[in-house]
Amino acid sequence: MSTPLEDYALIGDTYTAALVSRSGSIDWLCLPRFDSSACFAALLGGPEHGHWTLAPKGDGWTVRRRYLPDSLVLETTYSCPEAEVRVLDCMPVRGDEPDLLRRVEGVRGRVLVRSELMPRFDYGKAMPWLRSEGRRLHAVAGPDHLTLDSDLEHDVSAEDHAEVDFSVGASDAVDFRLSWSLPEEEVTAAFDVGAAIEETAEWWRTWTDCCSYSGEYRDAVVRSLITLKALTYAPTGGMVAAPTTSLPEQLGGVRNWDYRYCWIRDATFTLLALLAAGYDEEAKEWREWLLRAVAGRPEQMQIMYGVDGQRRLPELELGWLPGYEGSRPVRIGNDAAQQYQLDVYGELMDALHQARAHGIPPNPDAWRLQRRLMDFLEGHWQDPDNGIWEVRGPQRHFTHSKIMAWAAADRAVKAVEDFGLDGPAEKWKRLRQEIFDEVCKRGYDPDRNTFTQYYGSQSLDAALLMIPNVGFLPATDDRVRGTVAAVEKELLQDGFVQRYTMTAATQHIDGLPSGEGAFLPCTFWLADNYILQGNVDKGRALFERMLDLRNDVGLLSEEYDPHTGRLVGNFPQALSHIPLIDTAFNLTTRRGPAQRRAETGEQQRRGI
């Protein structure tokens, strides 16, 4: 039985991240960066696929967890009537090499603790050689070298793992430092773990001091911002969708994808969340990553890239891993990188527009890129595509994709009219109107009073909740209200929103068996619609239900299964934490991200 996702906490160093369970086991860690192979992969199999457990021996322990205030330093406290001990876990913001620090501190009584280190490189496949040098332990296989320095000498007689039992009393502290390096490199030995943990906590506190949000949901907003920062690859500014791969959207299912990459689609959401919270420098770095990643001809633009902008993300299946709760296949890489998704052009155009509107210093390449994107869109916006949900069925004329093509034309016009940039505004106005008219004619079902998933379909799509957010139509428009009502009637699962109509009859759309949890970002988008419609109390009630889905340390996955009450999908998910931030601002400020983005859209529309 796999550990529930709710039982995991995140630690990271802005290059990579690890998941730590309530039982003290690190079950997922890729080194030296997010998209490297895992040295601990128990998350997708069992303990034999790699883990590092550091916890009291025996049963009956009460477990409490928290992050040290405004930080990514995890504190796990184990207690029983006779004794108490706590474990501090963190990854210092990257220095000379990747480090993972663990400290065991006695609080009261005396506690017997075990450290069991079982590294498995290449996603649980390669068992390394273990070599002990007193209190220093080496694990080497192929291009990977882990070095464990601790206050104790581990026993390596079992060959496949290293272990040590020890006891701590009140005020005792035992330190561990795990480092990664190339086999030919030697990790420096002298290291003050306690000081490094405090420095790490202070680094995060200093970073969170920049947060401009001071409303009633500050704790949730700050935790989400820290999570987003932890998912950012510091050398480039790119943000991965999640630090994990193949966590299923349905337990036991096949919708298991690798999310350790950067999606263009997340660009505007990310940018607005960072800008709203006062993180202009992070927003600028994200914009710079976008510009570098999409350099080249517009027709070559991908929907996702690697953390440093690499384009080749070949999808492979790892047959030796049984998957999370038997959910197979386990995949690395993502073939969706080669799909044509029209909406990303609109997202990129909007992100660059929002950066300009918020006063981020101009980049001379940005407008030149936007002009080239518009040249491409003029000739290709009528092409079918794979859509926002990266369906692996036939390409179609997805309504949301066309709306984002409209957004691209609208932002191009705004660049000329609002910022004086050089471009054929009149031609783009005509294009904007042409797209608008077609969407309202072919993507709207007047009999049901709702926009549909694709032209001529009966299916619904929760992505259409973004219509007012991008300014295509106001939230109070009857067609938008009808779409919201249709989503409420047909896509809600226990009050949470499913991405799109998913039945056996619609399997041909995405080419996969039906079935998944409710999609958490879509539920935040529904709350935003309520707010934009003026029904703030209804939006607040839904938002607070969403907050209740977070685990004990404030993290959300991609989806939620209301039938089992479980978080599902890759974890933690950036696209769940981004709209959490946005909706909190929408509820507590006069002009939150949704209002600002909606106001960007054209105000005078023909036919409204």
Side-chain angles (χ1 to χ4, degrees):
M1 181 70 175
S2 298
T3 299
L5 293 186
E6 305 84 58
D7 283 1
Y8 284 107
L10 177 80
I11 58 174
D13 64 357
T14 72
Y15 281 67
T16 190
L19 294 185
V20 189
S21 74
R22 288 175 62 86
S23 62
S25 181
I26 297 176
D27 289 343
W28 183 255
L29 175 61
C30 300
L31 290 171
R33 60 187 216 178
F34 293 107
D35 55 356
S36 300
S37 67
C39 59
F40 301 133
L43 179 70
L44 299 177
E48 68 275 14
H49 295 107
H51 71 103
W52 181 15
T53 300
L54 182 63
K57 296 186 69 174
D59 300 322
W61 294 98
T62 299
V63 182
R64 304 189 312 276
R65 296 189 303 177
R66 65 165 189 149
Y67 287 109
L68 298 188
D70 290 352
S71 83
L72 201 64
V73 176
L74 178 68
E75 178 188 83
T76 305
T77 301
Y78 303 88
S79 60
C80 68
E82 298 79 24
E84 185 171 286
V85 66
R86 62 173 165 250
V87 178
L88 294 171
D89 291 310
C90 75
M91 298 182 71
V93 176
R94 186 71 61 92
D96 295 332
E97 55 262 327
D99 290 316
L100 193 159
L101 308 182
R102 313 192 79 176
R103 163 170 273 210
V104 180
E105 295 180 341
V107 179
R108 58 183 174 83
R110 181 156 292 276
V111 180
L112 186 62
V113 180
R114 165 166 287 190
S115 168
E116 180 178 276
L117 177 71
M118 183 178 287
R120 291 292 184 273
F121 297 118
D122 193 20
Y123 301 97
K125 188 176 185 180
M127 185 174 71
W129 288 339
L130 297 178
R131 176 169 51 88
S132 178
E133 296 177 350
R135 295 179 178 178
R136 168 164 280 201
L137 176 70
H138 298 275
V140 181
D144 296 298
H145 177 200
L146 290 177
T147 302
L148 176 65
D149 289 299
S150 70
D151 292 340
L152 306 163
E153 183 173 348
H154 282 68
D155 179 7
V156 296
S157 60
E159 294 187 349
D160 67 336
H161 70 275
E163 63 185 20
V164 61
D165 293 341
F166 59 98
S167 66
V168 292
S171 301
D172 290 343
V174 180
D175 291 334
F176 302 81
R177 174 202 182 195
L178 185 70
S179 302
W180 180 93
S181 65
L182 296 172
E184 63 271 17
E185 296 176 348
E186 188 73 12
V187 174
T188 55
F191 197 87
D192 188 331
V193 169
I197 291 174
E198 179 51 41
E199 289 169 6
T200 302
E202 181 59 28
W203 188 94
W204 284 104
R205 285 193 291 266
T206 300
W207 187 82
T208 56
D209 282 346
C210 297
C211 177
S212 62
Y213 182 85
S214 58
E216 60 186 297
Y217 304 112
R218 186 181 185 279
D219 288 347
V221 168
V222 167
R223 180 52 48 200
S224 291
L225 284 166
I226 289 173
T227 302
L228 296 182
K229 181 66 172 178
L231 298 181
T232 301
Y233 185 63
T236 64
M239 183 184 296
V240 297
T244 55
T245 180
S246 300
L247 292 177
E249 297 169 10
Q250 181 183 46
L251 297 176
V254 300
R255 295 172 182 263
N256 318 319
W257 314 111
D258 194 344
Y259 274 20
R260 298 172 299 154
Y261 306 114
C262 308
W263 265 254
I264 296 295
R265 179 173 298 107
D266 299 351
T268 311
F269 306 128
T270 304
L271 198 78
L272 285 173
L274 292 172
L275 289 170
Y279 290 94
D280 291 10
E281 188 60 33
E282 280 75 9
K284 178 183 176 183
E285 291 173 357
W286 175 236
R287 183 198 64 180
E288 297 305 303
W289 178 88
L290 288 169
L291 291 173
R292 291 193 303 271
V294 304
R297 296 196 298 271
E299 64 270 22
Q300 294 178 329
M301 191 172 84
Q302 297 184 182
I303 62 119
M304 73 178 85
Y305 297 86
V307 292
D308 55 6
Q310 74 265 35
R311 293 168 173 260
R312 296 184 184 275
L313 310 174
E315 189 173 297
L316 304 172
E317 295 184 3
L318 307 184
W320 60 87
L321 284 173
Y324 183 86
E325 296 215 2
S327 305
R328 304 181 70 176
V330 172
R331 297 179 174 95
I332 59 172
N334 200 315
D335 281 346
Q338 304 306 316
Q339 289 185 352
Y340 173 54
Q341 297 178 20
L342 178 64
D343 67 293
V344 299
Y345 292 88
E347 290 293 354
L348 182 57
M349 288 290 293
D350 197 16
L352 297 176
H353 176 82
Q354 299 296 343
R356 195 175 287 120
H358 280 78
I360 292 181
N363 182 303
D365 294 326
W367 182 238
R368 184 157 56 96
L369 170 65
Q370 290 180 272
R371 288 287 305 266
R372 296 177 71 180
L373 292 177
M374 288 307 302
D375 290 342
F376 175 79
L377 274 177
E378 286 174 35
H380 293 276
W381 72 270
Q382 291 178 308
D383 296 344
D385 75 319
N386 296 95
I388 183 175
W389 306 124
E390 301 172 1
V391 299
R392 299 203 172 193
Q395 292 183 337
R396 300 176 186 275
H397 293 284
F398 287 101
T399 305
H400 171 264
S401 297
K402 307 302 185 186
I403 289 169
M404 293 313 300
W406 174 92
D410 182 73
R411 281 28 168 197
V413 172
K414 294 296 193 301
V416 176
E417 294 183 340
D418 296 351
F419 297 99
L421 298 175
D422 180 51
E426 292 305 316
K427 181 173 70 169
W428 290 336
K429 285 181 180 179
R430 291 192 295 272
L431 174 64
R432 179 176 64 183
Q433 190 65 49
E434 182 182 358
I435 299 172
F436 180 84
D437 291 342
E438 179 179 291
V439 169
C440 291
K441 179 180 179 181
R442 301 185 62 192
Y444 174 72
D445 183 346
D447 295 331
R448 298 165 63 205
N449 189 28
T450 182
F451 286 93
T452 59
Q453 185 178 28
Y454 57 92
Y455 289 174
S457 77
Q458 295 295 306
S459 301
L460 293 180
D461 193 329
L464 298 170
L465 294 170
M466 297 298 295
I467 286 175
N469 296 56
V470 301
F472 183 81
L473 286 171
T476 53
D477 184 274
D478 286 344
R479 290 163 290 187
V480 177
R481 289 186 183 276
T483 302
V484 170
V487 168
E488 290 174 322
K489 180 180 178 181
E490 300 183 32
L491 293 186
L492 289 190
Q493 299 182 38
D494 192 29
F496 303 105
V497 182
Q498 188 177 7
R499 287 187 298 169
Y500 51 89
T501 303
M502 192 176 294
T503 65
T506 61
Q507 184 173 329
H508 63 285
I509 296 174
D510 61 16
L512 294 165
S514 62
E516 65 173 14
F519 198 70
L520 300 185
C522 294
T523 310
F524 284 114
W525 300 343
L526 179 59
D528 290 340
N529 269 264
Y530 294 149
I531 297 165
L532 291 171
Q533 289 173 0
N535 198 340
V536 176
D537 289 343
K538 192 172 183 179
R540 184 183 304 276
L542 181 55
F543 175 73
E544 292 181 352
R545 280 198 74 194
M546 296 293 289
L547 294 185
D548 289 342
L549 297 185
R550 297 172 302 153
N551 72 355
D552 59 323
V553 290
L555 301 180
L556 287 170
S557 65
E558 179 184 17
E559 300 185 7
Y560 172 73
D561 184 347
H563 303 296
T564 62
R566 297 273 302 275
L567 294 176
V568 291
N570 282 298
F571 175 89
Q573 176 80 0
L575 194 54
S576 294
H577 286 277
I578 291 167
L580 185 157
I581 297 166
D582 289 346
T583 305
F585 272 98
N586 295 335
L587 283 167
T588 55
T589 59
R590 187 178 64 84
R591 291 178 67 248
Q595 291 96 334
R596 289 200 305 271
R597 195 179 186 193
E599 291 169 5
T600 302
E602 184 188 7
Q603 298 303 308
Q604 299 299 322
R605 304 175 185 83
R606 186 181 304 169
I608 296 178

